[in-house]
Amino acid sequence: MEKKQISKAVINRLPRYYRYLGDLLEKDVVRISSKELSERMKVTASQIRQDLNNFGGFGQQGYGYNVEYLHTEIGKILGLDKRYSLIIIGAGNLGQALANYADFERRGFYVRSIFDINPRLVGLSIRGIEIKSIDEMEEYIKMNQVDIAALTLPKSKAPQIASDLARWGIKGIWNFAPTDLHLHENVIVENVHLAESLMKLSYKLSEKYKPADN
Amino acid sequence: MEKKQISKAVINRLPRYYRYLGDLLEKDVVRISSKELSERMKVTASQIRQDLNNFGGFGQQGYGYNVEYLHTEIGKILGLDKRYSLIIIGAGNLGQALANYADFERRGFYVRSIFDINPRLVGLSIRGIEIKSIDEMEEYIKMNQVDIAALTLPKSKAPQIASDLARWGIKGIWNFAPTDLHLHENVIVENVHLAESLMKLSYKLSEKYKPADN
DNA sequence: TAGATTGTTAATCGATTAACAATC
DNA sequence: TAGATTGTTAATCGATTAACAATC
């Protein structure tokens, strides 16, 4: 029997549910109905119930959802009950920013090492994480279990490095380079295209302030 | 006559078209058919033609699309023919990374100033852009035309600052704080939620390496 | 029990794909 | 002209919303 595939739209919404539930938890809210959550999140209650029911019945008729339980369950669905070891490739500003962002560890993502080609950066440390030469990367990956590589390097270097990483057994790539990586399908790529995000903003701005609105 | 609203799905795809066309342009490709572009981008040719026809007939039967022309036109649709002045609020690692990312200027986004509360950062410069105290921000915004504010500050501070910015006339907010900003609808918000992106990656990873696949 | 709210089916809406006439 | 490929309509597919019976 085939397990029905969860749609991409649903998955994209899960982290936002998780965030709202985390916020409610901090405010010591014990239970919440789909209706109330829908008002906070500005979505329909129906969508919330549909989405959650892809994964099982987390609620209770007449009561709603227990915030802590639902938060935990969505966390499990998102794989946040596991630990991931992460390397950052490219110790430029963005790579350093990610390395410094200690919050990821709270979610189980541990930055183990940072790699760069620039010999002047090699040997420096960020939050106690040493920047290593990219020449040491192959050996490092083969000797240590590395789940995720964050790619914060120039577009020109990204495809080659990504294909090396795939060959060396990396499971997931968090790609910040402004290019699409075409890898074997068993390597999972999640893109963060900042320039594209900014373009969407400028589209909306220029849409709004368009000369004639006929 | 009501101008038909372009769907969000289409807008989200435009920056990617723009990127592919820019890459083709760099490779001196003069013309491209929807079929060939669809193969490179791994989408259907039909979708490309549908998407583009929301904005007008940019192609020519029997020929395809002129790469340079189409690139320019999509650029205009995205508002990249205009200049935007941008401030960064929060001079932490991410704020500094954005300030250092000179590439945005090529697209017309000019970082004019950076603001922070930390007095130890105030007075320092990044790429010649001075970090100012957040106390000076209101006056700065009122004296200078500022189109976009990038919010790279903690979740706890973001809502208050965002509402100040809205009051002071900022048109667009590029929000990196892990929270939703509820502002008057004429302020445009574009979110970059890095933690959520990482959760999507971990979802896909744990989905793939799930124990039983029944 | 009565009231509330879920889980789930059915209806609607929107987005994607297919098909092909128009036309370069 | 013949061939290619767009622009656009129609068909399909998928996602969202509405409705309500089940049930706590």
Side-chain angles (χ1 to χ4, degrees):
Chain A
M1 192 188 301
E2 199 50 43
K3 155 189 55 142
K4 77 168 173 302
Q5 186 59 34
I6 307 297
S7 92
K8 217 185 150 194
V10 174
I11 295 160
N12 285 335
R13 285 192 289 266
L14 287 180
R16 187 159 177 264
Y17 291 136
Y18 188 76
R19 174 158 55 83
Y20 272 81
L21 290 163
D23 291 349
L24 289 167
L25 208 51
E26 274 183 16
K27 285 186 250 167
D28 296 314
V29 176
V30 173
R31 60 165 282 268
I32 194 155
S33 67
S34 59
K35 180 158 182 293
E36 201 193 330
L37 188 57
S38 77
E39 282 156 9
R40 288 173 188 260
M41 296 187 67
K42 303 189 187 301
V43 297
T44 63
S46 203
Q47 180 167 78
I48 292 174
R49 294 202 299 277
Q50 280 282 19
D51 283 356
L52 297 179
N53 264 81
N54 281 296
F55 304 98
F58 297 136
Q60 196 165 70
Q61 283 96 330
Y63 173 85
Y65 299 88
N66 177 284
V67 173
E68 187 172 6
Y69 175 69
L70 187 56
H71 183 256
T72 306
E73 289 304 311
I74 295 181
K76 283 185 203 161
I77 294 165
L78 288 169
L80 302 177
D81 54 338
K82 303 192 188 72
R83 286 169 162 243
Y84 300 89
S85 69
L86 206 138
I87 59 173
I88 294 170
I89 308 175
N93 291 285
L94 189 53
Q96 294 194 23
L98 293 182
N100 269 303
Y101 197 47
D103 245 32
F104 292 141
E105 285 181 9
R106 270 191 31 232
R107 296 275 119 89
F109 300 90
Y110 292 85
V111 178
R112 301 299 190 197
S113 194
I114 308 170
F115 295 91
D116 204 289
I117 358 171
N118 186 342
R120 277 186 295 176
L121 292 173
V122 173
L124 299 178
S125 279
I126 297 169
R127 274 201 318 133
I129 308 154
E130 200 199 336
I131 302 177
K132 298 187 177 67
S133 163
I134 208 148
D135 299 329
E136 300 171 47
M137 196 164 67
E138 177 171 5
E139 207 199 329
Y140 182 91
I141 291 173
K142 290 182 173 173
M143 299 300 286
N144 298 274
Q145 197 226 319
V146 179
D147 302 302
I148 298 170
L151 253 55
T152 50
L153 35 72
K155 180 185 181 169
S156 57
K157 305 245 168 57
Q160 179 59 57
I161 299 251
S163 115
D164 289 344
L165 290 168
R167 196 150 30 84
W168 300 335
I170 284 273
K171 298 189 200 95
I173 292 182
W174 198 20
N175 177 44
F176 288 78
T179 188
D180 292 334
L181 304 172
H182 302 292
L183 300 171
H184 186 283
E185 59 159 25
N186 67 16
V187 181
I188 289 167
V189 178
E190 171 73 24
N191 292 301
V192 178
H193 290 322
L194 294 182
E196 296 188 8
S197 164
L198 192 49
M199 287 181 201
K200 278 187 247 170
L201 179 55
S202 81
Y203 172 85
K204 289 184 250 168
L205 283 172
S206 61
E207 179 68 6
K208 188 168 154 48
Y209 294 97
K210 200 176 272 176
D213 213 20
N214 70 306
Chain B
M1 192 187 302
E2 199 49 43
K3 155 188 56 143
K4 76 165 173 306
Q5 186 60 33
I6 307 297
S7 92
K8 215 182 151 195
V10 173
I11 296 161
N12 285 335
R13 285 192 290 266
L14 287 180
R16 187 158 178 262
Y17 290 137
Y18 187 77
R19 173 157 56 83
Y20 272 81
L21 290 163
D23 290 350
L24 288 167
L25 209 51
E26 273 183 15
K27 286 187 250 166
D28 296 314
V29 176
V30 172
R31 59 166 282 269
I32 194 155
S33 66
S34 58
K35 181 158 182 295
E36 201 193 330
L37 187 58
S38 77
E39 283 156 7
R40 289 174 187 261
M41 295 186 67
K42 305 196 188 297
V43 296
T44 63
S46 204
Q47 181 168 76
I48 292 174
R49 294 203 299 277
Q50 280 281 21
D51 283 355
L52 297 179
N53 264 81
N54 281 295
F55 304 98
F58 296 137
Q60 196 165 69
Q61 283 96 331
Y63 173 86
Y65 299 87
N66 177 285
V67 173
E68 188 173 4
Y69 174 69
L70 187 56
H71 183 257
T72 306
E73 290 303 312
I74 295 180
K76 283 185 204 162
I77 293 164
L78 287 169
L80 302 177
D81 54 339
K82 304 191 188 72
R83 285 169 163 244
Y84 300 89
S85 70
L86 207 137
I87 59 174
I88 294 169
I89 307 174
N93 292 286
L94 189 53
Q96 294 195 24
L98 293 183
N100 270 302
Y101 197 47
D103 245 33
F104 293 141
E105 286 184 7
R106 269 189 35 232
R107 295 277 119 89
F109 300 92
Y110 292 86
V111 178
R112 302 298 190 195
S113 195
I114 307 170
F115 295 90
D116 204 288
I117 0 170
N118 186 343
R120 276 186 297 176
L121 292 173
V122 174
L124 299 179
S125 279
I126 297 169
R127 273 201 321 130
I129 308 154
E130 200 198 335
I131 302 177
K132 298 187 176 68
S133 165
I134 209 147
D135 299 329
E136 301 171 48
M137 196 163 67
E138 178 172 4
E139 206 198 330
Y140 182 91
I141 290 173
K142 290 182 172 172
M143 299 299 287
N144 298 273
Q145 196 226 319
V146 179
D147 302 302
I148 298 170
L151 253 54
T152 51
L153 35 72
K155 180 184 182 170
S156 56
K157 306 244 167 56
Q160 178 59 58
I161 300 249
S163 112
D164 289 343
L165 291 168
R167 196 151 29 86
W168 300 335
I170 284 274
K171 300 189 197 94
I173 291 182
W174 198 19
N175 177 42
F176 288 77
T179 188
D180 292 333
L181 305 172
H182 303 293
L183 300 171
H184 186 282
E185 59 159 25
N186 67 14
V187 180
I188 290 167
V189 179
E190 171 72 25
N191 292 301
V192 178
H193 290 323
L194 294 182
E196 297 188 8
S197 164
L198 191 50
M199 287 181 201
K200 279 188 246 172
L201 180 55
S202 83
Y203 172 85
K204 289 185 250 169
L205 283 172
S206 63
E207 179 69 6
K208 188 167 155 47
Y209 295 97
K210 200 176 274 179
D213 213 21
N214 68 306

